[in-house]
Each structure stands twice: as C-alpha cells, then as structure tokens.
Amino acid sequence: MAKFDLTAKNCQYLDRHLTFPLLEFLLQKNIYDQTSLLKFILETVSKTNMVDYTMDIRERLNMGTDLPEELIKRRSNVLVKLKELQTEVAPLMKCMEELKNPDTMKDSKSIVHALQQEFDFVTSYDIIKSAQKLAKYLYECGNYRDSISYLYICLLVMEPTDKNYLNVLWGKLAAEILTLNWQTALEDLTRLRDFIDNNNFSPIEVLQQRTWLIHWSVLVFFNHAKGRDLIIEMFLYKPLYLNAIQTMCPHILRYLATAVIINRGRRNALKDLIKVIQQESYTYRDPITEFLEHLYVNFDFEGARMKLHECQTVIINDFFIIGCLQEFIENARLMIFETFCRIHQCITISMLAEKLNMEPDEAECWIVNLIRNARLDAKIDSKLGHVVMGTQPLSPYQQLVEKIDSLSVRSEALTVLVERKQKAKTQESGEGNWKYY
C-alpha cells in the first residue's frame, strides 16, 4: 500500500497541526514502521507548544513517563508567555464585554469605535496585533477553540490591506478544520479563495497559495454536505484551480475522481474528468483514476473489475476519503452495470455478478433494487437468469445540462484569456507612455 499512500505528498501542503490527524491515522493502518512514524510525529510536535501531546508520543515510544528537565522548562515558559499575551489583550476583551449586544459584537465598526474611544490609533493597532499573536500562540498550544475567538475579532477589525490579514485567514481556516466546524470552515475557505483570486500576488505566489488551498479544501469538501458538488465546481470547472492541480499536484485527481464517482447527480462531469485524467496519466495514476480509464476509455470491464478491488484497498487507507468507501463501491458497480448495459441488450446475471465482484444471488437482488429505485428500463428473466435491457435514450434535459456545462467551461477559459491579453496590452501601453515622457 505504501506506493499508493499520498500522506507524504499531502503533508507538504498542510499546516503542521493539520498533519497530526493524518499521521495518527497512518499509525492505525500499519503501512509503515510504527517506531519510525512515532519518531517523525515526535520530531514534528516538538516544533509546537503541545507539551502534553509530546509526552504522549514519548510514552508510546517507551521513553518513560517522567518529564525531562527540558520539557518542564518549556511548559513553564509557555505558561508565562501565554499570561503575558493575555495581559496585553485584556483591554480588547474589556471592550468586547462592554458591547453586550451580540449583533453589535459582530459589527467591526462598533469594535473599532470602542477601541478608538479608549485608546489612540497606535495603541489600538498594537492591541489587535497582540490579539493575533495570542491567537497564534493558543493555536500552537493546541487550544484551537480559544484561538478561533481571537482570530474572529482580528478579522472583524483588520483591513484586507493589512499585511497580517492573509495569515489570519489561513489560521482561522486551520482552526475551524481542527475543531470540525465544517460549515464555518467552508465560509472561511470561500473567503480565503476570493482573497487569493482578487489580490495582486506574483504568478509563483498565487500558484503556491492555490496549491495549499486545494489541499486544505479537500478536508472540508469530504466532510461538508455540499462538498461533493463544490469540489467538482472548484477543481474541475475553475480553470485557474484545474491548472494548479495539473501543474503542482496531479495526485489531487484521486479526490476529484472519487467525488465524481460518488456523486450521481454529476455524471455529466465524467467526460471532462476523463479528459483531464488522460492528459495527466503520464504524471499520475492510481487505481481510482485507472478504474475510470478502463471503464470509459478502453471499455475493459475485466480491468475495471480488478481496479475496483484495488480501489477499496486504496480508500480504506486514505484519511481523506475513507468515509466514502460504501458509496464508492455502490456507485462504481452502478457505473460498470450502466456501461455494460449500453453495449449489451441481454446479459446473464452470472456474468454481471463476476463483473461486479458479487455472488449471483447477491447480484440479482442488487439489480432488482436498482431497477426499482433508479427506474431503469430493464427486466429480469429469473428462469434463464438474464437481464434484458430496454432502450435508454439520454433525456433532452440531460443533454441541455451537459451542453450548458461545456459552454460554461469554455466561456470561463475565454474570459481568462481575454483578460490576460488585455492586461498585457495595458502594460505595454503604460511602458510606452513612460518612455515617451
């Protein structure tokens, strides 16, 4: 399984604290040597202020339960620093307490006005800066919930032009993910994406920011109710993010492919996804992307069946998508069944059972339920053990949806191209004027 494990690649683009759940998950799977993995976690956690977690890892490594002198001193220093920062932020918290109305506390102008009445501009700025430092320090200690409170205040008061604003956005998103607040995390993710897309970063900086955002968003999308649609919209139908995936992290295609497979309402995305998978097959392949290639490019049902078996093993050992296992198997079998039925009008149940990795009785029951629930135009001849398919023309509505999706992608790509050319033309014009004067 180590060759299919993406933890090392994913962790390159995650905050140190976001890697701990992934590494703990790996410990349970026994893919790597336990001692080596624990030592790596210990090395990583030693760069934070999470002293208790450090002690837990030391115990699991049989390094003793007694606190070393170094850790005792570190814990003491952490508490002293924490108290200092809390003292610096005390005036801000006093202002927040005075704004007793919950609606007023959500109004940035009210908070700024209260601070300006109490302090001068420089002092107010310093207090907000201290609040950001305290939020980061609490985060480093593993106290994510309290960190969120201070980060929320910082975002209310700070201007987007502030040099620390972007760091606060990233910190808030990380803390919301670690506290499993998926709705708020999605809101923070959207805000961060808009900030990255609408600010003047250099081409390399914006590519790096988008690559990090792509990896963090996978954590949100596979835990939010609307995530299965949103991941397809962002990764497949936003050219700037698709370009980032193709350039920096083609391994993300595993998660995009999984989202398309488990999302029955987005089958129209399959055609576009398969094009991307084929384009990137020389840089990245795994059983999930190969399953789609075998099924929809080569129409190799035996190959698809074998890959489906491998897909189960991959998903069980992937932190991001392990929760989708049953849905993935169910929908992958449905895709095999639908594709097979488009080619053959009459199919034996025993043959279908073999293609779907099922027993004949189990396959017959599954097909009966599928015909009933999905209202397929098909009948089962139990005596002969056959499934007889009717004609299944694509509905006009579905044809329209697919054409609109395709036109939308082309229009967005053309818009980006026109804007890029216009920007280049403006810059050339500006340079010409400068030389003239």
Side-chain angles (χ1 to χ4, degrees), residues 195-208:
F195 185 86
I196 291 169
D197 290 346
N198 297 314
N199 276 271
N200 295 321
F201 295 105
S202 70
I204 292 176
E205 285 176 333
V206 76
L207 184 59
Q208 290 173 337

Side-chain angles (χ1 to χ4, degrees), residues 75-341:
R75 175 180 275 172
S76 177
N77 291 339
V78 166
L79 293 173
V80 170
K81 181 69 175 176
L82 198 57
K83 196 169 182 180
E84 285 177 8
L85 289 169
Q86 286 172 335
T87 303
E88 289 178 18
V89 177
L92 174 62
M93 302 317 294
K94 184 181 176 183
C95 287
M96 296 298 291
E97 285 175 15
E98 289 172 0
L99 299 170
K100 292 179 181 177
N101 187 340
D103 294 327
T104 310
M105 288 178 69
K106 293 178 182 178
D107 181 13
S108 59
K109 291 181 180 177
S110 301
I111 299 171
V112 172
H113 181 67
L115 281 171
Q116 287 174 347
Q117 281 188 325
E118 194 75 27
F119 310 100
D120 58 46
F121 176 78
V122 175
T123 309
S124 298
Y125 179 79
D126 288 341
I127 290 171
I128 296 302
K129 197 172 179 182
S130 295
Q132 185 200 346
K133 286 181 181 176
L134 177 57
K136 188 173 189 308
Y137 207 75
L138 286 165
Y139 180 86
E140 290 299 326
C141 293
N143 191 344
Y144 308 121
R145 292 191 185 280
D146 287 348
S147 177
I148 288 171
S149 303
Y150 292 104
L151 288 167
Y152 175 74
I153 296 169
C154 289
L155 286 176
L156 280 176
V157 178
M158 276 183 175
E159 293 291 333
T161 52
D162 192 299
K163 64 180 181 180
N164 295 313
Y165 189 78
L166 180 60
N167 291 333
V168 173
L169 284 175
W170 280 110
K172 177 80 160 43
L173 175 57
E176 297 291 0
I177 289 172
L178 288 162
T179 49
L180 311 182
N181 295 327
W182 302 117
Q183 180 56 42
T184 313
L186 180 61
E187 292 167 9
D188 289 340
L189 174 65
T190 306
R191 185 192 297 182
L192 181 55
R193 187 178 68 202
D194 291 342
F195 185 86
I196 291 169
D197 290 346
N198 297 314
N199 276 271
N200 295 321
F201 295 105
S202 70
I204 292 176
E205 285 176 333
V206 76
L207 184 59
Q208 290 173 337
Q209 293 285 330
R210 286 187 179 127
T211 305
W212 278 70
L213 188 65
I214 284 165
H215 286 79
W216 292 37
S217 66
V218 174
L219 285 163
V220 179
F221 289 145
F222 279 104
N223 286 284
H224 192 280
K226 296 180 180 178
R228 297 168 185 189
D229 285 318
L230 295 173
I231 190 173
I232 296 169
E233 291 298 330
M234 180 173 165
F235 290 4
L236 190 59
Y237 292 119
K238 286 193 179 295
L240 294 173
Y241 285 89
L242 178 58
N243 178 59
I245 291 170
Q246 291 176 304
T247 307
M248 299 290 288
C249 49
H251 60 271
I252 291 293
L253 289 175
R254 170 184 294 183
Y255 307 113
L256 177 56
T258 300
V260 172
I261 289 169
I262 64 176
N263 193 337
R264 292 188 189 184
R266 300 301 299 268
R267 287 288 185 263
N268 56 311
L270 265 172
K271 191 185 295 182
D272 299 317
L273 172 63
I274 288 163
K275 285 180 185 176
V276 176
I277 288 173
Q278 286 183 284
Q279 288 170 4
E280 299 304 317
S281 60
Y282 69 97
T283 57
Y284 179 76
R285 304 174 72 90
D286 72 15
I288 295 176
T289 61
E290 288 178 329
F291 167 77
L292 291 174
E293 276 192 295
H294 279 302
L295 189 57
Y296 291 103
V297 178
N298 305 326
F299 298 101
D300 177 4
F301 295 100
E302 181 60 25
R305 184 182 72 82
M306 296 297 292
K307 287 299 171 185
L308 179 55
H309 184 70
E310 288 183 26
C311 287
Q312 296 179 49
T313 310
V314 169
I315 293 171
I316 287 170
N317 291 283
D318 192 305
F319 176 83
F320 291 94
I321 53 177
I322 187 172
C324 305
L325 178 61
Q326 293 307 317
E327 284 180 281
F328 184 93
I329 295 169
E330 181 73 15
N331 282 283
R333 283 174 174 168
L334 177 59
M335 292 164 91
I336 293 172
F337 178 76
E338 287 175 340
T339 308
F340 201 79
C341 291

Side-chain angles (χ1 to χ4, degrees), residues 237 266-272 342 394-409:
Y237 292 119
R266 300 301 299 268
R267 287 288 185 263
N268 56 311
L270 265 172
K271 191 185 295 182
D272 299 317
R342 285 195 188 103
L394 194 64
S395 70
Y397 168 77
Q398 194 63 34
Q399 292 178 41
L400 181 63
V401 168
E402 289 191 7
K403 284 184 179 179
I404 289 171
D405 279 346
S406 177
L407 286 171
S408 174
V409 175

